């Protein structure tokens, strides 16, 4: 039993489960490629020098440690953050969970949602992503960035809200 199944009520049903759009991983992948190329170039330069083998080994170790720190911080960590961010719509609520070491989240009952909006610019439209804005009865509007296929999610959530409210308030 994986997430989000382990946080659902007995008869609750998942309608949609998404991670943020993959565009969040473009920067970390570019950092990985650039850092690896620079580390390989540095190792090749050190290897061609006439230094003592102990000095070469120490410099290679320093290059490796710097590579590991940069890749861990700017590549692995963002990937883990992307992987542990969940946007879930069930037949009862909207759930948003995020965080690697420390988890945080919010649940919005569908019955408390007043309006659902989306926003996306030209690049977001080309990548089929955007920001979903949910206004609930008790809070300021909440913005969820980089939701894949945001127009579809907007429509789906809108219909789920009106199905929850009942047919007397549903649009014709």
């Amino acid at each position: 039993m994986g997430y989000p199944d382990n946080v659902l009520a007995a008869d609750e049903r998942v309608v949609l489960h998404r991670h943020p759009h993959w565009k969040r991983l473009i920067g970390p992948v570019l950092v990985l490629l650039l850092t690896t190329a620079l580390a390989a170039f540095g190792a090749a330069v050190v290897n061609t020098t006439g230094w003592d083998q102990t000095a070469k080994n120490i410099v290679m170790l320093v290059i490796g440690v710097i590579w590991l720190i940069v890749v861990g911080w700017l590549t692995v960590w963002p990937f883990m953050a992307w992987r542990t961010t969940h946007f879930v719509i069930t037949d009862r609520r909207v759930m948003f969970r995020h965080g690697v070491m420390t988890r945080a989240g919010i649940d919005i009952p569908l019955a408390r949602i007043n309006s659902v909006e989306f926003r996306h610019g030209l690049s977001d439209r080309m990548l089929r992503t955007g920001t979903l804005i949910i206004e609930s009865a008790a809070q300021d509007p909440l913005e969820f960035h980089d939701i894949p296929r945001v127009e579809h999610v907007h429509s789906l959530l809108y219909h789920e809200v009106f199905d929850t409210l009942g047919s007397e308030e549903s649009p014709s």
Side-chain angles (χ1 to χ4, degrees), residues 21 27 63 67 72 80 152 158 171-172:
H21 195 268
I63 290 172
W67 178 86
M80 289 174 50
H152 171 73
Y158 178 79
S172 303

Side-chain angles (χ1 to χ4, degrees), residues 1-10 12 14 88 90 93 95 97 103 107:
M1 179 182 265
Y3 188 84
D5 297 332
N6 59 356
V7 296
L8 298 178
E12 192 172 10
V14 173
V88 181
T90 72
R93 59 186 164 157
M95 296 186 295
R97 302 283 190 275
R103 301 282 297 158
D107 290 1

